[in-house]
Amino acid sequence: MSSLSQISEEDLLCPVCLDIFTDPVLLLCSHSVCRACLQQFWSSRGFQECPVCRKRFTGCQTPANLALRNMCESFLQKRSSLQSSSEVFCDVHREKLKLFCLDDNHPVCLVCRDSEKHLNHTFRPVDEVTPLLKVKLKTSLKLLQEKLESFKEIKQTFDDAAQHIKAQTQQTVRCLQEDFERLHQFLRDEEMIRISALIEEENKKSQMMKEKIEQIEREIESLSNNIGTIKKDLDAADIPFLQVELVVNQYIGLAQITLRDPVMPAGALVNVAEHLGNLKFEVWQKMMAIVQLTPVTLDPNTAYPLLFLTDDMTHVKFSADGQQYPENPERFDYYHCVLGSVGFNSGTHLWDVEVQNNTCWSVGVTTASNQRKGEVFFDSGVWRVRYMADQYTTQSPLTTRKHLAVDNRLKVIRVQLDWDSGHISFSDPLTNKHLCTFTSTFTEAVYPFFYSSCTDFPLRILPVKLSITVEEPLH
């Protein structure tokens, strides 16, 4: 074909249909596409995008690429002329190749047809077989093109997932830093409280010791003065000494009184044990006031795209704005559902959900294998209580939705799962009223699930009360 033109045939192929351009148009990104192919591509995508570089447009004009169209028409005319005038000969017999052997899938000449090599083979004229084979080839080409588009869409999904992973990491790092900063601030505040208490004790006891020391110093000064006076009197002559007998007796009595030693008061030293004894335990015990434990947390990787989850994964509500989530296999794509982050395959588990003011919700459990895509989720593998249109209903895999009689509107609903015995119970923990119980035989893990279509009020998984039990050592 290179003898026809300096332009290669590959340069004249539409990137969509992979055939010679027909009425090519020029895009803003300088790529060209058949007009019909472009319209069909845009219609299938739902937005304007270049099939080659994937650049998106808004209100993009598509002028005809006249230069390319003329080149394609000229190329087709030359190729048609060459094909009509050229004749291909058999390499063995030098005869024209006019037949096609269906058994060997190869063009042959009349001599080849009569040879022993093609004995009992079936033949068709070349001009008859060529259109049929081209139809098959075009069908295969179309399948490959569809597969190519499918792979491009899958690649876009993977690209979105890669970006989402980075966003998840950044958001998680931010939440970790904020949570640890709150814990650090608590510890800093607790440190300052305890240091302040220590300094206050030091000041009080230092002041007390200062007063005691001053008192002793006054007594020392008084004793020193008395001692000096007595020494002076002792140095006097006999008669003068005896003349001051009364004073001597007074000094002797005073000495007997002041000779009692000062006593260190009890509790004068800093109570180090009070400040350091079981320090970490007491701080940890006090920390329980700011720490919450929820028996179930939500898994954002399963959340329907229009659900909003709080950073602590305990609140969920419907949001018309939605969030950018990749189309991963775990995610719901039809119902406004999200699963708990952990599935249960043994034991007894209980969690309370605040549903107050939420006007459309469902809570319960579902099997790990239950289909999350499409409309089939509630068809099987679900045990739940639902509130919708001011009506409470229950549902399980073995029963259709049934009306649930409730005296007053529920504020909190408790879900209790006993996996081993196969019981799922729903109750109102505020009134201790039992609502319903389902019985089943579990063969796989089950997950808590939550459904909400209310934009104003979320569903909230309530924390449990924490307590510390200290066991005495056995004697």
Side-chain angles (χ1 to χ4, degrees), residues 316-385:
V316 57
K317 74 173 183 178
F318 183 81
S319 173
D321 297 334
Q323 303 183 61
Q324 294 298 323
Y325 290 131
E327 185 56 32
N328 52 302
E330 301 88 352
R331 191 173 309 284
F332 288 90
D333 65 354
Y334 186 83
Y335 288 109
H336 307 164
C337 291
V338 60
L339 298 184
S341 59
V342 177
F344 306 118
N345 56 11
S346 65
T348 300
H349 309 273
L350 179 148
W351 58 96
D352 293 339
V353 184
E354 185 180 69
V355 296
Q356 184 176 10
N357 298 324
N358 191 299
T359 57
C360 186
W361 54 264
S362 286
V363 295
V365 298
T366 183
T367 56
S369 62
N370 195 11
Q371 178 60 250
R372 304 170 196 176
K373 305 296 185 182
E375 306 178 36
V376 299
F377 174 68
F378 288 114
D379 293 344
S380 63
V382 169
W383 297 261
R384 64 165 173 163
V385 168

Side-chain angles (χ1 to χ4, degrees), residues 189-440:
D189 293 343
E190 188 65 20
E191 178 186 8
M192 292 306 302
I193 290 173
R194 291 177 176 270
I195 291 177
S196 297
L198 175 61
I199 293 175
E200 183 180 357
E201 182 182 0
E202 178 204 15
N203 292 337
K204 288 182 179 180
K205 293 187 174 179
S206 295
Q207 181 64 28
M208 179 190 68
M209 295 304 296
K210 179 181 178 182
E211 293 173 357
K212 293 290 185 182
I213 291 172
E214 290 175 350
Q215 180 182 354
I216 293 174
E217 287 177 345
R218 288 193 297 269
E219 293 180 356
I220 289 174
E221 182 180 2
S222 176
L223 285 173
S224 298
N225 292 335
N226 292 337
I227 290 172
T229 302
I230 292 174
K231 285 183 177 182
K232 182 179 179 181
D233 291 339
L234 289 174
D235 294 337
D238 294 342
I239 296 303
F241 175 77
L242 294 176
Q243 289 178 342
V244 294
E245 179 182 0
L246 180 62
V247 176
V248 171
N249 292 334
Q250 181 179 356
Y251 282 140
I252 293 173
L254 180 63
Q256 291 175 346
I257 295 174
T258 58
L259 284 178
R260 288 177 298 180
D261 294 337
V263 178
M264 177 73 69
L269 301 181
V270 172
N271 192 351
V272 177
E274 180 181 359
H275 296 285
L276 295 182
N278 291 319
L279 173 63
K280 298 181 181 64
F281 175 81
E282 292 181 358
V283 173
W284 172 65
Q285 189 176 29
K286 190 174 181 180
M287 188 181 291
M288 292 176 60
I290 66 169
V291 174
Q292 289 185 338
L293 171 65
T294 50
V296 171
T297 56
L298 304 174
D299 182 2
N301 292 337
T302 66
Y304 180 75
L306 293 182
L307 291 182
F308 174 80
L309 277 60
T310 53
D311 289 339
D312 61 0
M313 306 302 168
T314 61
H315 296 57
V316 57
K317 74 173 183 178
F318 183 81
S319 173
D321 297 334
Q323 303 183 61
Q324 294 298 323
Y325 290 131
E327 185 56 32
N328 52 302
E330 301 88 352
R331 191 173 309 284
F332 288 90
D333 65 354
Y334 186 83
Y335 288 109
H336 307 164
C337 291
V338 60
L339 298 184
S341 59
V342 177
F344 306 118
N345 56 11
S346 65
T348 300
H349 309 273
L350 179 148
W351 58 96
D352 293 339
V353 184
E354 185 180 69
V355 296
Q356 184 176 10
N357 298 324
N358 191 299
T359 57
C360 186
W361 54 264
S362 286
V363 295
V365 298
T366 183
T367 56
S369 62
N370 195 11
Q371 178 60 250
R372 304 170 196 176
K373 305 296 185 182
E375 306 178 36
V376 299
F377 174 68
F378 288 114
D379 293 344
S380 63
V382 169
W383 297 261
R384 64 165 173 163
V385 168
R386 185 184 77 162
Y387 179 72
M388 182 180 292
D390 296 327
Q391 296 290 327
Y392 291 94
T393 57
T394 65
Q395 182 184 357
S396 74
L398 300 179
T399 60
T400 57
R401 282 199 301 269
K402 294 182 179 180
H403 176 71
L404 177 64
V406 176
D407 296 333
N408 299 308
R409 184 168 176 177
L410 295 175
K411 296 181 179 179
V412 178
I413 186 168
R414 172 169 294 172
V415 184
Q416 184 166 351
L417 167 69
D418 188 340
W419 193 95
D420 299 318
S421 64
H423 291 92
I424 310 106
S425 298
F426 297 86
S427 61
D428 181 356
L430 301 182
T431 62
N432 290 325
K433 180 181 178 181
H434 174 262
L435 300 176
C436 65
T437 297
F438 298 112
T439 301
S440 182

Side-chain angles (χ1 to χ4, degrees), residues 448-465:
F449 89 90
F450 308 84
Y451 171 96
S452 177
S453 290
C454 179
T455 58
D456 297 325
F457 300 98
L459 297 180
R460 176 188 172 215
I461 305 170
L462 298 179
V464 296
K465 294 182 178 180

